[in-house]
Amino acid sequence: MMVALQSFYIQVMGQSEQLWTSGAVVDKQNEPLPGVTVNIKGIGQGVITDSDGKYRIKIPNKNAILVFSFIGFQAQEVNVNGRSTVNVTLQETVTQLNDVVVVGYGQQKKESVVAALSTISATGLKQTPASNLGVALAGRLPGLTVLQRSGVPGGENLDFYIRGRSTINGQQPLTIVDGVERSFTALDPHEVETITVLKDASATAVYGVRGANGVIIVTTRRGKIDKPTIDVTVEQAWQQATRLPEMTSAYDYARLTNQVDRQNGRQPTYSDYALERYRLGDNHTFFPVRNFIKEFMKEFSPMQRVNVNVSGGTERMRYFATVGYLYQEGIFKTEKFKEYDYDPQSKANRVNFRSNFDISLHKNLKMFLNISGYMQKKNDPVIVPHNASYLNDIQGYSVMLSNLLSIPNNSHNDLTPDGEVMTSYQRANVPYGMLNRTGFRNTQTNQVTATLGVEQKLDFITKGLFAKVVASYDAYSSNQQVRQRTYQSYQVKGDPMNPESATYEPTGSSVNSTLSDAQYQSFSNLFDIDASLNYSRTFGKHDITGLILFNRYQRVINIQLPYNYIGLVGRATYGYAHKYLAEVNFGYNGSEQFAPGHKMGFFPSFSIGWVLTEEPFMDKLKNYLSYMKIRASYGQVGNDNMNGTRFAFLTLWSGSYESQIGNKKLEWEKANKYNIGIETRLFKDFGLDIDLFYERRNNILIPATGLIPTGVFGTGGVKASGIIPKINAGIIDNKGMEITASFQKNLNKDFRIDCRANAAFNRNKIIYMSEVLLPEDYACRLRSTGYRLGEPFGYEVAGYFNTEQDILDWYDQTALGPKPKLGDLKYKDKNGDGIVNDKDMVPIGYPEIPEWTFGAGINIQYKNLDFSMMWQGAANRSYYMTGQNITETYNFNNWHKEAWSQERYNAGEKITYPRLDPGSSINHLPSSFWYVNGSYIRLKNMEVGYTLPKKWSKTIRASSIRFYINGLNLLTFDRYPVKYQDPEQSSELLYPVFKTYNMGLNISF
């Protein structure tokens, strides 16, 4: 309707006056600019400049206003004033100082910001073909660490850290979407306008008791005054696990088993005849030859995405509306079970929707309405029937992965000739049965969010004053239907030398049951209201803004007690001549986590800035140093996230025992943050920003381990060891730096380049952790205090015991296990007492959360062709090589083929693994052998696109048609000795992370 009315208006006006104007658009070097959009303000009718920068447009009247816009240049409005020729020179916007950036509870011009924050637009997010928006943030924002832990379709798990770790308690940042605490990972990239990370106290003090871990703010797209624009994007992708374990073949498993038997003086488990059968694979009935990883995990899984959005508006109303669809399949291969007609295939369907409206009710009154949400339907195999603990993705698929890793590739076939599930060694669970015969679980998740805001100017009181009220309500529900069954397992019996003699006998207590039904529901809702008075006014060279805001937040999850927050926020900023800047913020708010009298806290911050390039004495340098700002801040912010623990001030009882000893004096953690930064623009094309920060986190909630005696009158007097009072006593320091470099330039009318790189470093140190000092004969008397959070302790390894003389000459390490054998690891005596035991444990690596993170990207546009690439990585990080994909406890992997053996040692062959001994843990103690360099660098994404010439798009009345191909996690380089799992993952039992190959089509009308 709106499109029709505007078209009719344009036609009527054009027919009545038939006025035309034309001209050329150039840059400051007088080079023509092709592709510049020329619109009629208020109507939206527009044209594009040709290859010579020229245009011709029909205007409704002689006083029409033309709007010229082009990427990398400042938009310009020109009144025609009856002229038939209007030539325009556009100015580059390299510094983008007039851009508005999002801050806590508001917006500020970039030039006036004195806080440490980083912002990106949605362009890069759209170039990353990931189903989870958080994946696209890795490497793009300095100071933000993103680790993808799993790749479950519709349930990816990511960890976010802003400026590393500063506490042993909850460290995840606060996430805000359009001013309300919400998760953003399920958003469609096409919904998003910008993402901003707030890092120092000046930026986060307004969030008070929840701001210490930093804040991620997502702002969604809104309509602009323009004709209706319709944008359609269709993508088809194929996903592949970045890495999978490599377990040994059936033959190698049997060979290595015999090797272990010989080393331990036992008769070989497998005869020469059996070895030959596994090698040749000529008797699968009694000598199966399998590859469980490849047989039950797909090489490629499809993913499709479609998005349609429309935006536009008039001075009275602007709108943006979008609908997105995502389909994604999982990595496990499944089969339909015909007997009960169900499909256990792992797959997810999700529909996102959003409508954002801005309405000018009056020149002094405006309102906005945001309605958004998603509907997701997931289907997965049950895997472990009749056990509710495994009806979630993390637990369920961990069991599946555990089985694939622990079952040897010579174990058993899948089905008997009659279609019954086979097993061996009386295993209760086998991959085929768990995936295909246990039923399915269908999980439907729905979320609807609504935000209504009203803004009233109060110029009748004083100019620049306005009031604003924003109310939000979110509703979330999850409904899971579980149709589950058990299955009977069978084993093959008979003469192994005669496949025809095979019979199949049931084993175990499980039977083939019918499908039973179970239902599970969960729900939550959120109510948030902000009421504020705002002030913004300029007096000559003086810029003054102010904010006072009341906030009330409540979240209800199922039948739990509500989560409540209440607070008051204040901000005042002052700028003189765009040169001297100052800002004061505070948050006075409280948390229900603490006892009466300790619920409320005051969190202030102070910051100043100096734009040196506005000083007269810098004028001579303007050609080299076009912009330079120095800023500094200090403030205190809080953290009440206690790793999910609520009401730790209460004493709880379990029968006659105390299950929690309360402390009514508990308070929030206090983060005292200092930051100094410098922002520069060099030669107008280069940018260099540097931030240095220091944080002291005190009042950290820790158990009073070092203050309470043991025994019946101490820790022994509670129900379980470790259930002792918590106290606000922990202290951790964290310091580091961030640097961002950029280069943007239009080299000529056809060629533009945009490069950006960032790096961030942080290092923490535990100052106090209520730790018991160990005796003097320990190599390290403390295991936390003085060290980094998560810094691993273990034994330093000096190699292998290669000869009996090595064992005799080495220190006594029998305190750690049995007497050493040839091929075992040699552990160093670090305290010099001649004995190797737990007193010799020392720091042996970095924490798992990296100290260095970095990213670098380039965007190139040449005529209609565009190319982008981004690398991302981490350093100063250790990874503990352990788990079922590494150790030989249940199965062997290909690394084990290079394990120490007398034959390999005598032959001088390469040895990279200690003696195989599935029944012993002596070689798998935490040590420098297993803690490896966890640094990595990866080609996070790459894209190549081509936009069709305008004359071709016009054939379907489109303004733009673009084809592109892109990819995610395309290359990964690291120093792991074996590449059995993605370097961002922390466990071998987590769902694999994907690399993605994607192709897409975008059409704009």
Side-chain angles (χ1 to χ4, degrees), residues 563-619:
Y563 293 75
N564 293 293
Y565 292 96
I566 190 170
L568 194 66
V569 170
R571 176 189 294 122
T573 72
Y574 172 75
Y576 175 75
H578 306 288
K579 185 190 311 183
Y580 308 117
L581 309 169
E583 183 172 326
V584 177
N585 294 273
F586 76 85
Y588 177 72
N589 54 26
S591 169
E592 62 179 10
Q593 287 279 60
F594 310 108
H598 297 274
K599 293 183 180 294
M600 304 297 293
F602 182 74
F603 305 93
S605 73
F606 311 90
S607 52
I608 56 174
W610 180 23
V611 184
L612 278 77
T613 43
E614 292 295 320
E615 296 287 1
F617 62 79
M618 297 290 289
D619 287 344

Side-chain angles (χ1 to χ4, degrees), residues 227-528:
K227 66 177 181 179
T229 300
I230 300 174
D231 191 82
V232 181
T233 303
V234 180
E235 295 182 339
Q236 172 65 57
W238 292 267
Q239 296 186 306
Q240 180 184 37
T242 56
R243 290 177 181 172
L244 290 174
E246 299 175 10
M247 312 312 290
T248 55
S249 66
Y251 170 73
D252 282 331
Y253 175 82
R255 183 179 61 81
L256 291 175
T257 299
N258 285 353
Q259 175 182 307
V260 172
D261 290 336
R262 288 192 296 271
Q263 288 176 168
N264 291 317
R266 300 190 297 263
Q267 286 295 318
T269 300
Y270 295 96
S271 65
D272 291 341
Y273 176 82
L275 286 173
E276 190 67 3
R277 300 286 72 73
Y278 289 128
R279 188 179 72 85
L280 297 176
D282 56 3
N283 183 352
H284 283 234
T285 302
F286 289 101
F287 302 94
V289 176
R290 307 294 304 275
N291 187 329
F292 283 105
I293 297 293
K294 288 189 175 180
E295 291 175 22
F296 286 98
M297 302 182 85
K298 303 175 187 176
E299 184 175 4
F300 292 99
S301 302
M303 180 176 75
Q304 292 101 35
R305 292 200 301 187
V306 179
N307 180 270
V308 179
N309 63 73
V310 59
S311 63
T314 65
E315 293 183 358
R316 296 299 300 270
M317 186 181 78
R318 282 79 60 202
Y319 57 89
F320 170 79
T322 181
V323 175
Y325 171 74
L326 169 73
Y327 172 77
Q328 185 181 17
E329 289 186 9
I331 196 172
F332 292 103
K333 296 178 182 177
T334 58
E335 297 176 359
K336 290 185 177 181
F337 189 26
K338 295 182 180 178
E339 183 175 342
Y340 288 98
D341 191 28
Y342 70 77
D343 185 1
Q345 182 184 22
S346 173
K347 56 188 176 183
N349 292 270
R350 187 174 73 215
V351 176
N352 290 72
F353 60 90
R354 174 174 294 278
S355 296
N356 291 348
F357 297 94
D358 294 278
I359 304 170
S360 298
L361 300 173
H362 184 268
K363 66 177 182 178
N364 294 325
L365 178 63
K366 59 183 179 181
M367 65 172 288
F368 69 87
L369 174 65
N370 304 339
I371 299 176
S372 65
Y374 69 87
M375 298 172 288
Q376 178 172 281
K377 184 176 182 180
K378 281 180 84 274
N379 194 78
D380 298 278
V382 170
I383 300 179
V384 182
H386 305 296
N387 190 330
S389 300
Y390 294 94
L391 292 179
N392 65 77
D393 293 330
I394 293 178
Q395 298 298 328
Y397 284 118
S398 69
V399 174
M400 186 68 243
L401 289 164
S402 175
N403 271 262
L404 290 177
L405 294 173
S406 63
I407 297 179
N409 281 324
N410 68 349
S411 179
H412 59 270
N413 295 309
D414 288 336
L415 298 173
T416 69
D418 296 330
E420 298 292 345
V421 177
M422 290 191 64
T423 186
S424 62
Y425 309 120
Q426 295 186 344
R427 287 181 176 272
N429 299 308
V430 293
Y432 185 90
M434 296 170 73
L435 285 173
N436 300 299
R437 297 296 174 88
T438 57
F440 67 95
R441 52 189 172 96
N442 189 290
T443 308
Q444 296 190 41
T445 305
N446 301 290
Q447 180 177 4
V448 177
T449 70
T451 301
L452 177 65
V454 178
E455 183 178 308
Q456 172 69 58
K457 289 185 178 181
L458 302 175
D459 288 346
F460 63 91
I461 299 176
T462 184
K463 188 176 180 180
L465 182 67
F466 63 94
K468 188 175 182 179
V469 177
V470 180
S472 300
Y473 179 80
D474 296 2
Y476 169 91
S477 67
S478 176
N479 295 280
Q480 188 176 70
Q481 180 189 36
V482 182
R483 301 280 289 164
Q484 55 194 333
R485 65 184 297 273
T486 59
Y487 58 89
Q488 175 72 66
S489 298
Y490 288 77
Q491 281 186 298
V492 62
K493 301 290 184 180
D495 182 1
M497 296 187 179
N498 179 16
E500 301 298 328
S501 68
T503 60
Y504 301 90
E505 298 179 0
T507 181
S509 59
S510 185
V511 298
N512 288 326
S513 68
T514 58
L515 283 171
S516 62
D517 186 66
Q519 303 280 340
Y520 299 90
Q521 294 85 29
S522 65
F523 67 89
S524 67
N525 58 58
L526 172 152
F527 177 73
D528 182 277

Side-chain angles (χ1 to χ4, degrees), residues 458-466 534-546 573-575:
L458 302 175
D459 288 346
F460 63 91
I461 299 176
T462 184
K463 188 176 180 180
L465 182 67
F466 63 94
N534 304 262
Y535 182 72
S536 177
R537 193 168 179 182
T538 298
F539 301 90
K541 294 183 178 182
H542 307 273
D543 296 311
I544 300 173
T545 71
T573 72
Y574 172 75

Side-chain angles (χ1 to χ4, degrees), residues 206-221:
V206 292
Y207 294 102
V209 77
R210 295 184 292 166
N213 297 330
V215 183
I216 300 175
I217 299 180
V218 178
T219 304
T220 60
R221 293 171 60 185

Side-chain angles (χ1 to χ4, degrees), residues 923-934:
N923 289 322
H924 294 284
L925 299 174
S927 72
S928 58
F929 184 89
W930 302 111
Y931 275 94
V932 300
N933 188 337

